[in-house]
């Protein structure tokens, strides 16, 4: 095993097991901040979204944004957590230039959600329940920018006070891959719930990874290191895999792991200790006296539950059982809420579920990929796609006409209907079999030698006949019908 300058033999690597727990910060996509009416919009001009509360001017008082409670309850319900009825906020005290209050409002001993789990499926198909410890509500700090000015560090307080949910897992993950899959699954879930945009480039989800190793069979957990602020799935996986090897190599060399806070350098792929100043860990938590305790009632929880969309695992179940789709299809279709919703609205108009899935996973997705756009920017109505599927099933349209011509026109003229376009483009299929029989006869007579080959066992030439028939008919035939007539006629020639 090799990573950076670290080499470890496979035998030694396999003596150990890694133990990983993640703390994921989910930035909530609320309109206003957690405890003030300042805008929570991303990308505003620096220091534009700030009022006395964000600036912590004397006398400014926080007020809880109800949306953060709603989001926490949604996520808690989706993850099967125990939702705590009586909530308090705490102050976590530390001094930093991007934290004007000198403390962060968070929840310490009594988080809004306890327990819960998230099922993940690994690349080898194995499933695993990732057990959660808790979810708590808190606010973000501002941003310090160290690389824009030669002399000064710049501070942007737009992010100060943006609401976060911190999702803390138990130390149950065992590799970079498991952590990466868990993080991605969590991202998918918060996007489904509509509580976070999951935009990793903008820092909407950031993760601290706690990593330790121990000899296999050992009960006690090893000393852990915490890699801070990982903001992409790839970096998360890389940082963990590197850190596991580093810790093993330290222990193998007779050293001990010191509990440390680390930084991951994406360019080198290495972890290194943060300055000790940032590691000082004495937060003097105490209850936030400016906010009232917050009671979440059963009625509130059931109202939130009713308002929630179907979750990806529920849709997966529906797609594989009721709609009889292969697991692969169900997985792709539920990978994003917009895709699942498009599929669901398509199958309102057609009962050919597999064809709807094929269209979405194939033609439509490659179109979206080509254009570099998402499903929510796709302009062709699901009803039109269903109409195409139904026309193909009736034998009034064939696949190549549908994909190569009709679909292309629909994307250009989304306001036109399938029927209009079929007339305009003269696409309808000749249902007149006498015409079709003539096409078949002429192809069979032109390729008489191939007919002989067919009768001598070379069945592959059928493809050539079909291709020729499509050509002479200019594609205006039903391939199923053509195939049937072709087989009948060729048999008669024997
Ligand atoms: P802290 O109070 O220092 O933040 P927590 O108890 O909240 O510590 O744990 C933070 C995260 O670290 C959790 O995800 C937890 O599962 C994980 N963790 C705790 N101990 C270990 C360990 N020995 N090895 C790996 N992860 C650990
Ligand atoms: Mg912690």
């Amino acid at each position: 095993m090799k990573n950076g300058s670290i080499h470890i033999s496979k035998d030694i690597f396999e003596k150990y097991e890694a133990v990983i727990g993640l703390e994921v910060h989910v930035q909530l996509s609320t309109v206003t901040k957690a405890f003030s009416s300042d805008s929570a919009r991303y990308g505003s001009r620096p220091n534009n979204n700030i009022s006395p509360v964000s600036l912590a001017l004397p006398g400014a008082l926080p007020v809880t944004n109800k949306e953060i409670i709603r989001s926490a309850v949604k996520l808690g319900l989706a993850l099967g957590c125990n939702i705590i009825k009586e909530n308090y906020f705490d102050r976590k005290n530390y001094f930093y230039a991007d934290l004007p209050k000198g403390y962060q409002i968070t929840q310490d001993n009594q988080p809004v959600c306890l327990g819960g789990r998230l099922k993940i499926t690994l690349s080898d198909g194995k499933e695993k329940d990732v057990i959660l410890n808790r979810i708590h509500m808190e606010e973000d700090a501002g941003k310090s920018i160290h690389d824009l000015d030669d002399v000064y560090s710049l501070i942007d307080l737009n992010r100060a006070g943006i609401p976060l949910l911190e999702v803390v897992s138990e130390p149950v993950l065992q590799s970079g891959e498991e952590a990466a899959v868990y993080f991605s699954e969590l991202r998918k879930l918060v996007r489904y719930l509509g509580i976070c945009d999951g935009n990793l480039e903008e820092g909407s989800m950031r993760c601290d990874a706690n990593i330790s190793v121990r000899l296999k069979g050992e009960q006690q957990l090893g000393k852990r290191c915490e890699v801070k602020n990982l903001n992409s799935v790839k970096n998360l996986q890389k940082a963990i895999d590197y850190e596991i090897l580093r810790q093993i190599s330290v222990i193998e060399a007779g050293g001990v792991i010191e509990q440390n806070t680390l930084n991951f350098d994406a360019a080198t792929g290495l972890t290194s200790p943060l300055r000790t100043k940032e590691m000082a860990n004495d937060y003097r938590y105490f209850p936030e006296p400016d906010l009232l305790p917050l009671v979440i009632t059963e009625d509130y929880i059931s109202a939130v539950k009713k308002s929630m969309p179907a979750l990806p695992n529920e849709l997966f179940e529906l797609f594989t059982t009721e709609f009889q789709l292969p697991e692969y299809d169900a997985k792709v279709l539920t990978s994003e809420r917009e895709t699942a919703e498009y599929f669901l609205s398509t199958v309102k108009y057609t009962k050919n579920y597999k064809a709807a899935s094929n269209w979405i996973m194939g033609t439509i997705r490659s179109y979206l990929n080509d254009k570099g756009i998402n499903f929510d920017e796709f302009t062709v109505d699901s009803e039109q796609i269903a109409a195409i599927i139904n026309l193909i099933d009736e034998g009034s349209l064939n696949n190549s006409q549908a994909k190569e011509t009709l679909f292309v026109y629909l994307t250009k003229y989304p306001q036109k209907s399938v029927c209009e376009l079929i007339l305009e483009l003269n696409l309808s299929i000749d249902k007149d079999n006498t015409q079709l029989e003539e096409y078949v006869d002429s192809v069979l007579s032109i390729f008489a030698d191939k007919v002989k080959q067919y009768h001598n066992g070379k069945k592959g030439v059928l493809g050539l006949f079909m291709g020729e028939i499509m050509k002479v008919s200019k594609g205006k035939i039903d391939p199923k019908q053509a195939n049937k007539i072709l087989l009948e006629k060729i048999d008669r020639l024997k």
Side-chain angles (χ1 to χ4, degrees):
M1 310 251 127
K2 181 172 178 293
N3 199 326
S5 57
I6 301 175
H7 296 254
I8 289 177
S9 75
K10 197 159 180 265
D11 287 350
I12 291 179
F13 182 76
E14 284 176 354
K15 284 196 328 200
Y16 289 87
E17 70 180 355
V19 176
I20 299 142
L22 297 190
E23 297 165 283
V24 180
H25 295 91
V26 175
Q27 186 177 302
L28 298 178
S29 30
T30 51
V31 178
T32 56
K33 291 188 182 177
F35 303 106
S36 75
S37 56
D38 288 348
S39 166
R41 201 168 78 85
Y42 180 87
S44 300
R45 287 187 41 187
N47 296 310
N48 242 37
N49 304 341
I50 51 174
S51 68
V53 179
S54 295
L55 291 172
L57 297 185
L61 287 173
V63 177
T64 308
N65 180 347
K66 279 190 198 142
E67 279 308 306
I68 69 177
I69 320 286
R70 180 182 293 279
S71 302
V73 171
K74 272 189 190 166
L75 187 57
L77 286 171
L79 291 168
C81 305
N82 184 11
I83 293 172
I84 304 303
K85 304 280 162 37
E86 246 181 71
N87 279 269
Y88 305 92
F89 288 102
D90 296 288
R91 288 186 179 182
K92 179 179 179 178
N93 298 278
Y94 65 99
F95 176 79
Y96 208 77
D98 56 25
L99 188 77
K101 288 201 295 285
Y103 59 85
Q104 175 191 26
I105 302 178
T106 179
Q107 293 188 296
D108 183 24
N109 285 329
Q110 201 153 321
V112 62
C113 301
L114 282 175
R117 61 192 60 222
L118 181 60
K119 185 184 257 148
I120 58 171
T121 306
L122 302 165
S123 61
D124 61 4
K126 252 200 268 155
E127 289 187 343
K128 176 168 182 149
D129 261 345
V130 180
I131 309 295
L132 305 179
N133 174 285
R134 64 175 190 271
I135 303 174
H136 62 257
M137 304 181 273
E138 62 184 28
E139 60 174 345
D140 212 340
K143 230 185 238 171
S144 301
I145 302 148
H146 303 295
D147 54 4
L148 270 187
D149 191 280
D150 291 343
V151 182
Y152 298 106
S153 280
L154 306 180
I155 307 286
D156 177 5
L157 291 176
N158 283 349
R159 203 180 63 184
I162 298 271
L164 304 173
L165 292 179
E166 180 172 332
V167 183
V168 183
S169 81
E170 290 294 348
V172 289
L173 297 159
Q174 290 182 299
S175 66
E177 191 215 338
E178 285 191 13
V181 174
Y182 163 73
F183 184 80
S184 307
E185 198 60 33
L186 195 57
R187 175 171 180 268
K188 178 164 111 187
L189 186 64
V190 297
R191 282 167 48 84
Y192 255 84
L193 292 171
I195 61 173
C196 167
D197 62 21
N199 192 331
L200 302 183
E201 288 91 58
E202 295 178 0
S204 295
M205 280 178 79
R206 306 185 297 269
C207 174
D208 301 337
N210 294 269
I211 303 148
S212 65
V213 298
R214 64 181 169 190
L215 286 170
K216 279 183 183 157
E218 176 68 59
Q219 290 303 305
Q220 221 173 339
L221 291 177
K223 265 265 162 56
R224 69 177 142 131
C225 286
E226 180 175 5
V227 187
K228 283 280 184 198
N229 252 321
L230 296 159
N231 61 1
S232 83
V233 181
K234 210 164 89 197
N235 287 346
L236 172 64
Q237 181 159 355
K238 270 183 115 178
I240 291 173
D241 287 339
Y242 172 77
E243 186 55 20
I244 293 170
L245 285 193
R246 187 191 71 81
Q247 293 187 12
I248 293 176
S249 76
V250 168
I251 295 170
E252 281 293 315
V256 287
I257 300 299
E258 282 176 48
Q259 187 158 337
N260 241 341
T261 306
L262 308 175
N263 182 37
F264 176 69
D265 182 343
T268 59
L270 308 180
T271 59
S272 58
L274 281 172
R275 283 170 295 157
T276 42
K277 190 179 95 183
E278 289 173 29
M279 283 159 44
N281 211 347
D282 181 12
Y283 294 124
R284 296 183 298 116
Y285 281 100
F286 64 85
E288 163 64 70
D290 288 342
L291 287 166
L292 292 170
L294 219 153
V295 177
I296 300 176
T297 63
E298 277 301 341
D299 285 352
Y300 181 81
I301 296 175
S302 28
V304 172
K305 197 177 210 162
K306 272 199 210 116
S307 75
M308 279 169 45
L311 299 179
N313 57 341
E314 294 165 352
L315 290 177
F316 183 89
E317 191 63 26
L318 176 77
F319 292 179
T320 48
T321 54
E322 193 140 326
F323 298 157
Q324 297 276 308
L325 290 179
E327 289 195 353
Y328 174 80
D329 293 44
K331 195 166 171 213
V332 176
L333 293 174
T334 57
S335 63
E336 275 180 311
R337 181 169 159 187
E338 290 78 12
T339 316
E341 281 175 351
Y342 197 88
F343 173 76
L344 281 170
S345 70
T346 310
V347 299
K348 271 196 207 135
Y349 306 101
T350 176
K351 290 288 153 262
N352 192 342
Y353 307 120
K354 181 60 181 143
S357 166
N358 290 347
W359 269 87
I360 291 170
M361 296 197 310
T363 313
I364 299 178
R365 259 168 62 115
S366 39
Y367 169 79
L368 297 178
N369 286 346
D370 275 357
K371 294 267 174 230
I373 57 174
N374 290 319
F375 244 105
D376 45 5
E377 295 159 278
F378 183 52
T379 47
V380 179
D381 214 56
S382 58
E383 202 176 340
Q384 307 281 357
I385 299 294
I388 297 181
I389 292 170
N390 293 337
L391 287 170
I392 294 174
D393 286 350
E394 278 167 37
S396 309
L397 192 69
N398 65 47
N399 252 309
S400 60
Q401 289 172 316
K403 294 199 167 132
E404 284 148 32
T405 314
L406 191 51
F407 179 75
V408 177
Y409 274 85
L410 267 178
T411 57
K412 284 192 193 136
Y413 306 101
Q415 74 285 6
K416 295 203 175 180
S417 75
V418 165
C419 294
E420 267 177 272
L421 280 172
I422 285 179
L423 286 177
E424 264 177 48
L425 300 165
N426 190 19
L427 284 178
S428 65
I429 276 181
D430 261 322
K431 286 203 167 167
D432 178 5
N433 275 346
T434 41
Q435 183 64 52
L436 179 52
E437 287 188 25
E438 276 171 30
Y439 294 145
V440 175
D441 287 337
S442 77
V443 167
L444 289 179
S445 68
I446 296 168
F447 293 97
D449 53 332
K450 301 280 186 218
V451 174
K452 248 186 230 136
Q453 289 179 7
Y454 175 83
H455 289 133
N456 289 334
K458 208 172 161 199
K459 306 284 181 213
V461 292
L462 276 181
L464 172 112
F465 295 143
M466 279 301 290
E468 288 299 320
I469 295 164
M470 286 307 257
K471 233 190 265 168
V472 292
S473 69
K474 303 205 170 59
K476 295 184 65 170
I477 51 150
D478 173 9
K480 267 188 242 135
Q481 195 63 22
N483 197 47
K484 193 171 143 242
I485 292 175
L486 173 67
L487 287 175
E488 283 166 12
K489 286 196 183 278
I490 204 167
D491 271 348
R492 263 184 258 141
L493 288 174
K494 201 166 176 178

